Amino acid sequence: MDYFVSLLVTGSIGIDTVKTPYGVSRDCVGGSAVYFSMAASFFSPVRFLGAIGADCPFDLKKVFKGRRVDLAGLEVREQSKTFRWAGSYSGAMNQAKTEAVQFNVLAEAPPKVPDKFKDSKFVFLANTAPVLQIELLKQLKRPRFVAADTMNCWIRDHLPALKRLLKRIDCLILNDSEARMLAREDNLIIAAGKVIRLGPSVVVIKKGESGSIIRDSAGRLFVLSAHPAEVVKDPTGAGDSFAGGFMGYLAGQGKTNFAALKKAAAYGTVVASFTISDFSLKGLTKTNRRDIDRRLRHLRKLTQV
Amino acid sequence: MDYFVSLLVTGSIGIDTVKTPYGVSRDCVGGSAVYFSMAASFFSPVRFLGAIGADCPFDLKKVFKGRRVDLAGLEVREQSKTFRWAGSYSGAMNQAKTEAVQFNVLAEAPPKVPDKFKDSKFVFLANTAPVLQIELLKQLKRPRFVAADTMNCWIRDHLPALKRLLKRIDCLILNDSEARMLAREDNLIIAAGKVIRLGPSVVVIKKGESGSIIRDSAGRLFVLSAHPAEVVKDPTGAGDSFAGGFMGYLAGQGKTNFAALKKAAAYGTVVASFTISDFSLKGLTKTNRRDIDRRLRHLRKLTQV
């Protein structure tokens, strides 16, 4: 087994209902671990860890058929129900409005890391309670590069646990409003520096249609534009797809130097641009690595000063 | 006289009082034509057109001493008072809050274009009532590339006049919220296309700290990141400085092809980054073309995928 390409993700599997100006997608496959894995699998094999209930209407084996996603970490809990989320987007479609949410299996104990996944070197902890993210990390032997996502409710209500997590991870991926909230600082460049001082050696701040910035503990900075999109059918999963492209590229290359982080973020933004082009996973499943590389070249051309 | 480098600006000269988290600057020199001229003069001679009252506390000849700004179009109206603006910035400092405004001389007839300015080939019409912008244009002989700025109040309350203006100019420079309002479209890439269909062959949409986009009538697109800034002491004049760098570069080169527009926007964003680094004109007056070129190289490095 290749030492470098062991990439583990843990996060949600969701039954999503999404409404946008382009239409409605009911009870479709969603969730952070699903978007992440689909995106990362263009670059690296993925080890999948997550839980569903007996009610899950889709078969994840079929969803990931032909893709390098190892579902050994998928727990089907017969007594539980799958996480459900319903949301809508309007206007500039920068932010989802949650219409309904049923945590179900996500409110239970997190899935157990299978023995064969415990040596994973690259790890992505999708957004969930920081205590659960820490518990998951404790199940792993010496990972090399751990990235985590978080969100406003954990920053607001679980800050001590989140700060403990930040001391154990290498990279925090979060959006601009979350970064401002966590750093208590409106200027994003300063906010990025303040997040670094909380623990991670790398911070990636996502700004939606306005791209992203990376800052590291050596003070290096990278500013990346998003691929401009005229058609945004469904932004759900954009952030997790970005993280998937980002971590997938790093794991596939077995590198975490700043040049690799920059290219990884560029792949992340390109993969996310496919995600938002259609509902649910359709934008991702109809693309391939060649399309992704072509769009990366296009992004370079569009942004070259 | 060089045919290409005749760049005319018309806009305001203001007595500004600005409050930001970094301090207060009272009765300092401001106004769109002033910021524009200072920024553009790094790249091209500038022909200045504007009016002040007898009360003006600063001498524009001294302000522009040693710079290539021809003040033959400066009208001092003994019976009038100078435009005054007081504003404050807080939080992310993306938007000024106007605390007080006295239009004074700006509410009178616009300044008359001196005969020797009438052959100007590059023209910037800073933000004012669209009917006044049209009147100014009518005083000029066959300009080659006319750019204008506008703002929300003209889009909301003077749309027919603004639409007449748009049919007479080559380039509209406006910010993201104004572009969305004018195009009645939240997606900025589509909004840019809709603005193009109203007349100008080029539209530049400024997004503050998130950079800018350019779209032209051939469908070409350019996405530019702003130079990341940790210290933003006073954002006043950032947009006019961007326009100054942009138009100054085009006039200095005598070019308006897409490659020139891209480089012009990059210079615009770099010059604006100096403006916001200090109060009033201080950020601009303490820089020089070498610093500007150095920062442009830095921006390239920070954004290269």
Side-chain angles (χ1 to χ4, degrees):
Chain A
M1 158 133 245
D2 190 323
Y3 174 90
F4 288 115
V5 293
S6 52
L7 169 61
L8 174 73
V9 57
T10 172
S12 64
I13 301 138
I15 306 172
D16 283 1
T17 293
V18 179
K19 194 177 164 188
T20 86
Y22 287 88
V24 183
S25 173
R26 277 183 218 288
D27 293 346
C28 60
V29 56
S32 58
V34 173
Y35 278 106
F36 179 97
S37 298
M38 193 62 85
S41 68
F42 291 112
F43 306 94
S44 162
V46 180
R47 295 168 167 186
F48 186 100
L49 187 67
I52 52 175
D55 60 336
C56 191
F58 39 77
D59 180 354
L60 285 176
K61 280 197 210 73
K62 281 190 187 153
V63 168
F64 289 116
K65 191 163 188 258
R67 296 176 194 270
R68 300 178 286 174
V69 179
D70 185 339
L71 294 172
L74 176 65
E75 288 181 18
V76 184
R77 299 185 181 170
E78 295 300 336
Q79 305 304 316
S80 307
K81 283 183 157 180
T82 308
F83 169 61
R84 278 180 181 269
W85 179 77
S88 64
Y89 298 86
S90 59
M93 296 173 75
N94 286 328
Q95 194 144 22
K97 185 181 167 217
T98 292
E99 307 282 356
V101 63
Q102 296 172 30
F103 287 102
N104 296 331
V105 76
L106 289 191
E108 304 170 7
K112 225 173 143 284
V113 179
D115 283 342
K116 70 171 194 169
F117 283 3
K118 286 185 176 167
D119 64 349
S120 298
K121 292 300 165 190
F122 289 79
V123 178
F124 182 67
L125 306 168
N127 168 47
T128 187
V131 288
L132 297 184
Q133 292 173 308
I134 293 171
E135 282 313 306
L136 270 152
L137 263 189
K138 284 183 181 168
Q139 299 181 51
L140 301 176
K141 302 176 200 155
R142 301 177 54 84
R144 179 173 155 203
F145 189 81
V146 178
D149 188 6
T150 193
M151 71 181 286
N152 47 8
C153 63
W154 313 120
I155 299 169
R156 194 180 54 230
D157 302 328
H158 293 69
L159 192 58
L162 179 59
K163 285 187 172 173
R164 287 199 303 279
L165 174 74
L166 291 177
K167 296 208 184 304
R168 305 177 70 120
I169 64 174
D170 303 284
C171 176
L172 184 66
I173 303 177
L174 73 181
N175 73 31
D176 48 357
S177 65
E178 292 156 357
R180 290 190 167 108
M181 195 176 178
L182 176 59
R184 296 169 190 263
E185 166 61 49
D186 285 309
N187 180 298
L188 280 185
I189 313 298
I190 299 177
K194 290 194 170 182
V195 172
I196 292 288
R197 286 199 282 285
L198 294 172
S201 56
V202 178
V203 59
V204 180
I205 301 179
K206 299 171 290 179
K207 308 198 293 172
E209 65 171 72
S210 292
S212 52
I213 63 171
I214 301 182
R215 190 162 181 169
D216 78 358
S217 53
R220 280 179 289 238
L221 193 63
F222 178 52
V223 179
L224 175 67
S225 294
H227 192 272
E230 289 203 27
V231 177
V232 179
K233 283 196 183 167
D234 175 9
T236 310
D240 296 305
S241 301
F242 175 92
F246 179 78
M247 290 296 286
Y249 178 78
L250 293 176
Q253 298 289 313
K255 288 180 185 167
T256 59
N257 60 36
F258 204 70
L261 292 170
K262 286 164 66 170
K263 195 151 184 196
Y267 272 119
T269 203
V270 165
V271 174
S273 78
F274 284 104
T275 300
I276 66 179
S277 71
D278 210 336
F279 282 95
S280 185
L281 291 173
K282 279 192 274 181
L284 283 178
T285 52
K286 69 188 177 195
T287 190
N288 56 46
R289 180 64 189 267
R290 192 157 51 171
D291 291 340
I292 291 168
D293 282 319
R294 190 180 297 129
R295 190 168 288 183
L296 177 59
R297 289 194 295 274
H298 188 232
L299 178 64
R300 263 198 199 115
K301 195 178 151 225
L302 285 177
T303 59
Q304 206 165 308
V305 180
Chain B
M1 156 132 246
D2 191 326
Y3 173 90
F4 288 113
V5 293
S6 51
L7 168 61
L8 175 72
V9 57
T10 171
S12 64
I13 301 138
I15 306 172
D16 283 0
T17 293
V18 179
K19 195 176 163 188
T20 86
Y22 287 88
V24 183
S25 173
R26 277 182 217 287
D27 292 348
C28 61
V29 57
S32 57
V34 174
Y35 279 105
F36 179 97
S37 298
M38 193 61 84
S41 68
F42 291 112
F43 307 94
S44 161
V46 181
R47 294 168 166 185
F48 186 101
L49 188 66
I52 51 176
D55 61 336
C56 192
F58 39 77
D59 180 354
L60 285 177
K61 279 196 209 74
K62 282 190 187 153
V63 168
F64 290 115
K65 191 165 187 255
R67 298 176 192 269
R68 300 177 286 174
V69 179
D70 185 340
L71 293 171
L74 175 65
E75 287 181 19
V76 184
R77 297 183 183 173
E78 295 300 334
Q79 305 304 315
S80 306
K81 284 183 158 182
T82 307
F83 169 60
R84 278 181 182 268
W85 178 78
S88 64
Y89 298 85
S90 59
M93 296 174 73
N94 286 327
Q95 194 145 22
K97 184 181 168 217
T98 293
E99 307 281 355
V101 62
Q102 295 173 30
F103 287 103
N104 296 331
V105 75
L106 289 191
E108 304 171 7
K112 224 173 144 283
V113 179
D115 282 342
K116 70 170 193 170
F117 284 2
K118 287 186 174 166
D119 65 350
S120 299
K121 292 299 164 190
F122 289 80
V123 178
F124 182 67
L125 307 167
N127 168 46
T128 186
V131 288
L132 298 184
Q133 291 172 309
I134 293 170
E135 282 313 307
L136 270 153
L137 263 189
K138 284 184 180 167
Q139 297 180 54
L140 301 175
K141 302 175 199 156
R142 302 178 54 83
R144 180 174 154 202
F145 189 81
V146 178
D149 188 6
T150 193
M151 71 180 286
N152 46 8
C153 64
W154 313 121
I155 298 169
R156 194 179 54 229
D157 303 328
H158 293 69
L159 192 57
L162 180 58
K163 285 188 172 174
R164 287 200 302 280
L165 174 74
L166 292 177
K167 297 205 183 307
R168 305 178 71 120
I169 64 174
D170 302 283
C171 176
L172 183 66
I173 302 177
L174 74 179
N175 73 30
D176 47 358
S177 64
E178 292 157 357
R180 289 191 167 106
M181 193 177 180
L182 176 58
R184 295 169 190 263
E185 166 62 48
D186 285 308
N187 180 297
L188 280 185
I189 313 298
I190 300 177
K194 289 194 171 182
V195 172
I196 292 288
R197 286 199 282 285
L198 294 172
S201 56
V202 179
V203 60
V204 181
I205 301 179
K206 298 171 291 180
K207 308 198 291 173
E209 65 170 73
S210 293
S212 52
I213 62 171
I214 301 183
R215 190 162 182 169
D216 78 357
S217 54
R220 280 179 289 239
L221 193 62
F222 177 52
V223 180
L224 175 66
S225 294
H227 191 273
E230 289 204 29
V231 178
V232 179
K233 282 195 183 168
D234 175 8
T236 309
D240 296 306
S241 300
F242 175 94
F246 178 78
M247 291 296 286
Y249 178 79
L250 294 177
Q253 298 289 313
K255 287 179 185 165
T256 59
N257 60 37
F258 203 69
L261 293 169
K262 286 164 66 169
K263 194 151 186 194
Y267 272 119
T269 203
V270 164
V271 174
S273 78
F274 284 103
T275 300
I276 66 179
S277 71
D278 210 335
F279 282 95
S280 185
L281 291 173
K282 278 192 274 180
L284 283 178
T285 52
K286 69 188 175 196
T287 190
N288 56 46
R289 180 62 188 268
R290 194 160 46 171
D291 292 340
I292 292 168
D293 282 318
R294 190 179 299 129
R295 190 167 288 184
L296 178 59
R297 288 193 296 274
H298 187 232
L299 178 64
R300 262 197 201 116
K301 195 180 151 227
L302 285 177
T303 59
Q304 206 163 308
V305 181

